[in-house]
Amino acid sequence: MKMSLTVNGTRHEVDVRPTARLIDVLRDELGLTGTKEGCGEGECGACTVLVDGKAVASCLMLALQACGKEVTTVEGLAHGGELSLLQRQFIAHGAVQCGFCTPGMLMSAQALLMENPTPSADEIRTALAGNLCRCTGYSAIIAAIRAASGREADRADGSA
Amino acid sequence: MTDELRVVGRDHPIADAALKVSGALVYATDMRLPRMLYAKLLLSPIAHGRVAHIDATEALALPGVVAVFSHENAPQRLYSRYRLLPDQDCPEDEPLFAETVRFAGDRVAAVVAEGLDIAAAAVRLLRVQYEELPAVLTAEEALREGAIPIHPGGNLLSEFEHAAGERPEARGNEVTVTVATSLPRAHHAALEPHSCIADCDASGKLTMWSPTQSVFGARTVVADLLGLSYSQVRVIKVPMGGSFGGKQEFTLEPVTAFMAMTLRRPVRLALEREECISSTMVRGASTSTVRVTADPAGVLKDLEVDTLFDAGAYGTSSIDYVDMMTKKLTRLYRVPQYRHHCRVVYTTTPVAGGCRAWGAVDITAPMEIAMDRLAGRLGMDPVELRLKNLVEPFDRELLTGAELGDARIRECLVRGAEAFRWDERVQQDPGRGRYRRGVGVACGAHKNGMLSDTFPDFSTMTLKMNEDGSVALGASLHEVGCGAVTAMRLIVAEELGIEPEMVSVTEADSDLTPYDFGCYGSRVTYVCGAAARQTAVALKERLLEVAAVLMGRPVAELCFRGGRIEAASAPGEGLAPAEAVMAAKTVLHEDVSVQSTHQATSNPGAYSAQFAEVVVDTWTGLTRVTDFLAVGDVGRAINRAMVVGQYQGAVQMGIGFALCEEVGLDTAGRVVPGGFKQYHVVNTPDMPDVKVILVEHDGDDGPYGAKSVGEISVVPTVPAVVNAVNRALGTSLSDLPLTPAKVVAALR
Ligand code: FES
Ligand code: FES
């Protein structure tokens, strides 16, 4: 079926199977492989993208459900070759290890900051509840998001 | 020493962080090769049986299906997915495709098609008839008289005992406790599922792209299995979204290589989460009974451990894994006699294999739970009991006589107890109401590399200087995601006095980069890091040699000063290294590059002491870890931010192992479906902000004194949490994980 959707500001016409998931269209049709698949069942958050500004597991959403909508993927966070503040804080705080959870973490954090520009640590934890990370123990990720939110971050590395 | 260091010891982001935050890093499943085919496996739905008949007619008729493989058209040769060295002693018991399936998840067949959706649809069209055999779901069952043999040699894969020392004469006033602790099957849960791509060109050369922990091991297994020379198989390490041991062994590489070689086209095999859990590797289930004896003052007199380990359907690394378990406790405690009796047993369950810290978690949990029980019996504080028995710096351990180096576990424990306010918090009343609070402590020991009386360790690297003074380190690194590449970069930059951005570092490519065993055994920082430093030193020597010829002065007169090569007698005169490199090319017709092999001569202990506070809801049985402190004897942090981050991540894994992570099987031996719905990994709301203290010192042979981090960091976490729960509740739980149901049952 033909459909159109806007991804990172660009409108695309794509021909999709009715059963195709949004993640398949992003990765396979549009070549936006930054969005990762860690489980395919809505449990790990690696595939999180924004659909009309809301964080969505793109492995659970049919591509057709995104018809006519604005989708933002991790590739859409940087502007004019400049990483966003959130991306830069992830780097600066050591919030990135293997990087497989990172795109999803960034998109969940982006959705949170768009809705609540100054979240508390607990609000961040709640917003990231659906994003698993096996490498970092989350502390550096939370510190990076707090720093991007403009709040004074706690010591990023957890050193006591 | 840290003050004199420019880049080592500070906080650095991981080298490819910018690629990772922008979604630009290409992992295996992001790659697409021209004419690439997609494979999908058919996994056995039953735990044990014979494949009587496979009807692939319908599958093959589906447009886009290229081939169907099964035992009927694949080599029958048995191999070990664990083999690293060609002459290594490993059980060869696994076929590419099973004619006798030995666990639910065993490979029965594969469909290769032009698209993934076609392959997936075709797999559903395969009609397979099985003749079922009795399933054998526990190690106890497998050893029972009359149990059906899972492999021709029977179900006892290996039985051995390690013993050393002598038990002092009994005085009659000793205290002995015996505690059995069970650890379930666990999933490594790297966020990136397993995947692999193989291609075979017209000349028969096989190239593989794999997120593996050892390209040379993958090459060995694939080439031996397919009858190719090692020069015909090239394995390229690609970015890896975590491993934790789950990608150490060569699970997908052999079957993917076989399909690509047969079809002469690139084939991609990528698993889904449920397939990763059921069909790749798990941490094996084990029960260890610890019998520990101390005198009334708490000094250990005797330690005996009996382990029953469930290897699952294939042997892979299980014998070595259990052998490694043995060697951990005498690195931690002084004890006059130690004995470890081990049985490694086949069952028709998911295959056990390497898992972070290779047995140290599996034996330290039983030991440290038993130590708390012993402290209780002696009426002694758990920290005090441990301090009476922990090893001292430069001890030799009892079992192998290996030197432990500047072992600072006592310092870890003392500094941790103070920072955690242990003395005060251990006295606090857990409460009588619904919520009970408790604290727990545990210690752990691990190693630095693979060097032992029976195994070598070394690493070879090359380093060349470019015409602008930047350098390229050629090394077979296998970045698992925690910064091995960055650490090497920092070490080389430190040694050469240049900025880290001036150092490029390769990952492993079996055709192009020098030999290295791979990323495991806690060897990368200690052995590869030392190799990187040694190679940088060799490059400086080479630069001096070149400069000596160019300047017409004896080498002995030259030295590095302010980033230039100068003669001691003629300050101001001299060359920048980049100038020397240019002149070497144009005047001497030479390149400035070196190759160097570092041979490990020591394998000291790595140590950690950890402290947990938990709150248990006695109504629901739910446990929350509310505070956590990890103290690590790291020798020297090469990249502080990543060392702390690895500790924090390890604690997340350990808390999961203690409280909720278990690969559950149904009564037929199938993994309970549901992926991460069933297999609970600790998420953000349930994680405390883990505090980390690093104990740093000189005294060991690693680069700048650095020791391993990635595995030791998880070793004491499980018992620290379990001991906290038992203190909060007054229970003696030791059947892991401590699920709400078990907690509630214990309180009844
Ligand atoms: S891949 Fe979508 S939530 Fe895991
Ligand atoms: S950085 Fe590896 S899973 Fe989060």
Side-chain angles (χ1 to χ4, degrees):
Chain A
M1 291 175 73
K2 290 226 187 305
M3 66 171 279
S4 79
L5 75 174
T6 303
V7 182
N8 303 331
T10 308
R11 220 178 115 95
H12 296 272
E13 306 286 329
V14 284
D15 200 1
V16 301
R17 285 174 292 116
T19 54
R21 307 169 303 167
L22 178 57
I23 189 172
D24 300 328
V25 169
L26 294 172
R27 288 177 52 87
D28 302 340
E29 299 296 322
L30 305 180
L32 295 169
T33 53
T35 302
K36 300 299 179 213
E37 181 162 357
C39 71
E41 57 199 5
E43 292 287 325
C44 78
C47 66
T48 307
V49 298
L50 305 187
V51 177
D52 286 348
K54 296 266 179 276
V56 165
S58 64
C59 72
L60 290 186
M61 189 177 201
L62 291 176
L64 289 173
Q65 291 173 295
C67 189
K69 302 213 154 115
E70 297 256 358
V71 179
T72 310
T73 70
V74 68
E75 289 92 344
L77 289 179
H79 278 295
E82 276 260 319
L83 298 180
S84 71
L85 176 64
L86 182 63
Q87 289 172 308
R88 282 183 275 128
Q89 294 298 358
F90 263 61
I91 297 176
H93 284 78
V96 183
Q97 288 192 33
C98 83
F100 210 78
C101 72
T102 308
M105 287 284 179
L106 283 164
M107 299 322 288
S108 290
Q110 179 72 22
L112 169 69
L113 292 177
M114 280 164 33
E115 207 178 287
N116 175 3
T118 54
S120 66
D122 277 347
E123 286 168 332
I124 297 173
R125 286 181 185 279
T126 307
L128 297 186
N131 290 81
L132 299 179
C133 174
R134 194 53 149 179
C135 303
T136 66
Y138 306 110
S139 291
I141 294 173
I142 293 163
I145 297 170
R146 295 198 74 174
S149 75
R151 274 170 192 260
E152 188 51 31
D154 303 327
R155 249 201 86 96
D157 58 11
S159 302
Chain B
M1 184 178 197
T2 349
D3 295 345
E4 302 149 27
L5 297 173
R6 267 180 330 111
V7 290
V8 160
R10 305 186 192 282
D11 294 336
H12 301 270
I14 197 162
D16 53 7
L19 298 182
K20 287 170 175 169
V21 298
S22 46
L25 189 70
V26 177
Y27 297 81
T29 45
D30 303 332
M31 287 176 61
R32 264 203 223 179
L33 299 179
R35 301 181 71 236
M36 186 166 84
L37 297 168
Y38 295 80
K40 181 87 188 155
L41 297 176
L42 175 70
L43 301 174
S44 172
I46 62 168
H48 200 192
R50 263 186 286 279
V51 177
H53 184 65
I54 300 179
D55 181 357
T57 324
E58 279 178 77
L60 283 166
L62 199 68
V65 170
V66 174
V68 174
F69 294 104
S70 69
H71 75 91
E72 290 175 358
N73 57 355
Q76 295 299 294
R77 185 169 168 177
L78 301 179
Y79 67 96
S80 166
R81 64 170 82 171
Y82 161 60
R83 179 177 301 287
L84 169 60
L85 297 172
D87 65 352
Q88 202 177 339
D89 189 15
C90 321
E92 306 217 291
D93 54 8
E94 177 176 3
L96 279 177
F97 295 101
E99 186 173 2
T100 298
V101 292
R102 294 188 168 87
F103 72 107
D106 215 347
R107 287 183 301 274
V108 174
V111 174
V112 186
E114 300 287 349
L116 184 57
D117 46 339
I118 305 171
V123 159
R124 288 192 290 273
L125 297 175
L126 291 171
R127 306 280 169 247
V128 184
Q129 281 169 16
Y130 299 92
E131 284 167 9
E132 282 208 49
L133 293 166
V136 183
L137 301 185
T138 64
E140 289 84 357
E141 254 178 73
L143 293 179
R144 224 166 265 157
E145 274 273 315
I148 183 166
I150 299 160
H151 288 276
N155 296 339
L156 184 61
L157 175 58
S158 183
E159 177 167 16
F160 51 89
E161 183 170 280
H162 291 287
E166 265 174 57
R167 185 180 171 154
E169 188 128 348
R171 301 193 162 210
N173 59 357
E174 289 85 358
V175 176
T176 299
V177 301
T178 305
V179 184
T181 296
S182 298
L183 280 82
R185 263 172 220 92
H187 173 47
H188 306 78
L191 257 276
E192 178 201 32
H194 291 66
S195 57
C196 173
I197 298 172
D199 189 16
C200 186
D201 70 17
S203 74
K205 172 105 182 186
L206 194 64
T207 303
M208 314 195 62
W209 294 264
S210 174
T212 175
Q213 289 179 238
S214 173
V215 297
F216 293 102
R219 173 217 60 184
T220 303
V221 172
V222 166
D224 288 357
L225 177 69
L226 301 179
L228 300 171
S229 85
Y230 289 180
S231 65
Q232 280 174 295
V233 178
R234 175 180 180 190
V235 183
I236 301 168
K237 153 74 176 60
V238 295
M240 177 188 261
S243 174
F244 313 104
K247 294 168 187 155
Q248 172 178 347
E249 292 163 51
F250 313 109
T251 327
L252 302 190
E253 289 88 344
V255 69
T256 315
F258 161 69
M259 295 188 290
M261 193 173 89
T262 308
L263 299 171
R264 295 286 167 122
R265 281 180 68 178
V267 174
R268 182 191 101 159
L269 176 59
L271 301 189
E272 293 177 10
R273 178 60 51 182
E274 280 191 9
E275 296 172 320
C276 291
I277 297 176
S278 68
S279 80
T280 62
M281 315 284 294
V282 292
R283 180 194 68 194
S286 64
T287 299
S288 290
T289 305
V290 172
R291 189 168 177 278
V292 59
T293 302
D295 70 12
V299 177
L300 297 188
K301 296 295 169 192
D302 188 22
L303 175 59
E304 292 187 4
V305 186
D306 187 90
T307 295
L308 183 59
F309 186 88
D310 183 343
Y314 297 107
T316 75
S317 60
S318 285
I319 299 172
D320 286 358
Y321 188 90
V322 177
D323 190 60
M324 286 295 157
M325 279 174 82
T326 295
K327 294 172 181 155
K328 299 302 190 282
L329 298 184
T330 47
R331 288 189 157 239
L332 185 62
Y333 290 119
R334 286 178 165 181
V335 59
Q337 178 185 260
Y338 172 57
R339 187 182 295 277
H340 187 201
H341 174 248
C342 313
R343 284 168 299 163
V344 185
V345 180
Y346 282 127
T347 61
T348 59
T349 67
V351 182
C355 185
R356 194 175 199 169
W358 259 68
V361 169
D362 319 46
I363 199 159
T364 304
M367 180 66 194
E368 288 295 88
I369 292 169
M371 284 296 273
D372 258 39
R373 204 77 69 79
L374 180 63
R377 281 281 302 280
L378 291 165
M380 196 176 274
D381 178 83
V383 168
E384 189 192 347
L385 174 65
R386 287 172 173 85
L387 283 174
K388 292 202 174 204
N389 295 290
L390 289 167
V391 295
E392 298 272 1
F394 304 104
D395 270 9
R396 278 179 183 275
E397 61 108 353
L398 177 72
L399 193 62
T400 66
E403 288 180 39
L404 296 178
D406 197 355
R408 299 285 185 99
I409 180 60
R410 293 170 163 275
E411 188 178 335
C412 290
L413 186 59
V414 170
R415 283 178 62 183
E418 197 184 312
F420 194 74
R421 295 185 294 107
W422 171 265
D423 288 346
E424 182 189 326
R425 290 166 83 172
V426 75
Q427 299 297 339
Q428 275 166 13
D429 183 4
R432 298 268 169 279
R434 173 171 171 180
Y435 295 98
R436 312 269 168 90
R437 189 177 296 268
V439 290
V441 63
C443 295
H446 198 55
K447 58 183 190 146
N448 282 277
M450 312 214 286
L451 184 72
S452 70
D453 34 10
T454 54
F455 209 85
D457 208 345
F458 68 93
S459 187
T460 301
M461 294 184 181
T462 62
L463 187 62
K464 67 167 177 261
M465 184 167 273
N466 300 314
E467 298 89 315
D468 62 353
S470 62
V471 295
L473 183 73
S476 283
L477 291 167
H478 300 74
E479 173 71 65
V480 293
C482 50
V485 163
T486 316
M488 299 306 131
R489 203 183 205 196
L490 299 178
I491 290 167
V492 170
E494 184 71 53
E495 201 55 44
L496 296 180
I498 58 180
E499 292 309 309
E501 294 68 35
M502 299 278 276
V503 183
S504 71
V505 180
T506 62
E507 287 201 57
D509 178 327
S510 62
D511 265 7
L512 302 183
T513 54
Y515 190 85
D516 185 78
F517 289 137
C519 179
Y520 34 72
S522 276
R523 60 183 294 279
V524 176
T525 299
Y526 193 76
V527 180
C528 301
R533 189 176 185 190
Q534 179 181 312
T535 310
V537 170
L539 183 75
K540 287 203 288 192
E541 285 166 8
R542 170 82 181 124
L543 276 166
L544 291 182
E545 274 169 29
V546 168
V549 178
L550 292 167
M551 292 164 70
R553 289 181 180 274
V555 178
E557 267 189 32
L558 301 185
C559 62
F560 285 88
R561 195 182 293 140
R564 290 173 63 79
I565 303 164
E566 290 188 353
S569 56
E573 218 182 276
L575 290 167
E579 291 171 317
V581 172
M582 261 315 289
K585 288 192 164 56
T586 53
V587 180
L588 307 179
H589 305 180
E590 284 180 16
D591 186 29
V592 179
S593 62
V594 292
Q595 172 168 321
S596 184
T597 297
H598 166 72
Q599 294 168 327
T601 54
S602 57
N603 186 347
Y607 294 95
S608 179
Q610 302 188 356
F611 300 80
E613 181 197 70
V614 300
V615 172
V616 187
D617 180 341
T618 55
W619 293 7
T620 62
L622 266 174
T623 299
R624 271 180 66 90
V625 179
T626 46
D627 191 17
F628 203 99
L629 170 66
V631 189
D633 169 12
V634 300
R636 176 85 50 221
I638 299 289
N639 182 350
R640 193 162 305 272
M642 283 300 133
V643 170
V644 171
Q646 273 192 83
Y647 258 95
Q648 291 171 327
V651 170
Q652 185 263 7
M653 181 178 258
I655 290 175
F657 286 170
L659 298 179
C660 52
E661 294 191 31
E662 172 170 23
V663 176
L665 303 182
D666 67 15
T667 51
R670 288 178 298 242
V671 170
V672 181
F676 284 141
K677 281 194 183 68
Q678 286 295 331
Y679 191 87
H680 294 292
V681 171
V682 180
N683 66 355
T684 2
D686 288 335
M687 262 307 281
D689 215 356
V690 175
K691 294 167 194 79
V692 179
I693 294 175
L694 304 181
V695 172
E696 294 182 86
H697 54 90
D698 295 327
D700 288 306
D701 297 336
Y704 308 97
K707 299 202 279 189
S708 63
V709 175
E711 298 194 292
I712 177 58
S713 44
V714 74
V715 174
T717 314
V718 173
V721 172
V722 172
N723 289 342
V725 172
N726 282 331
R727 179 170 302 278
L729 301 178
T731 48
S732 46
L733 290 161
S734 63
D735 179 20
L736 306 182
L738 303 185
T739 56
K742 286 182 199 164
V743 168
V744 168
L747 289 171
R748 285 232 175 87

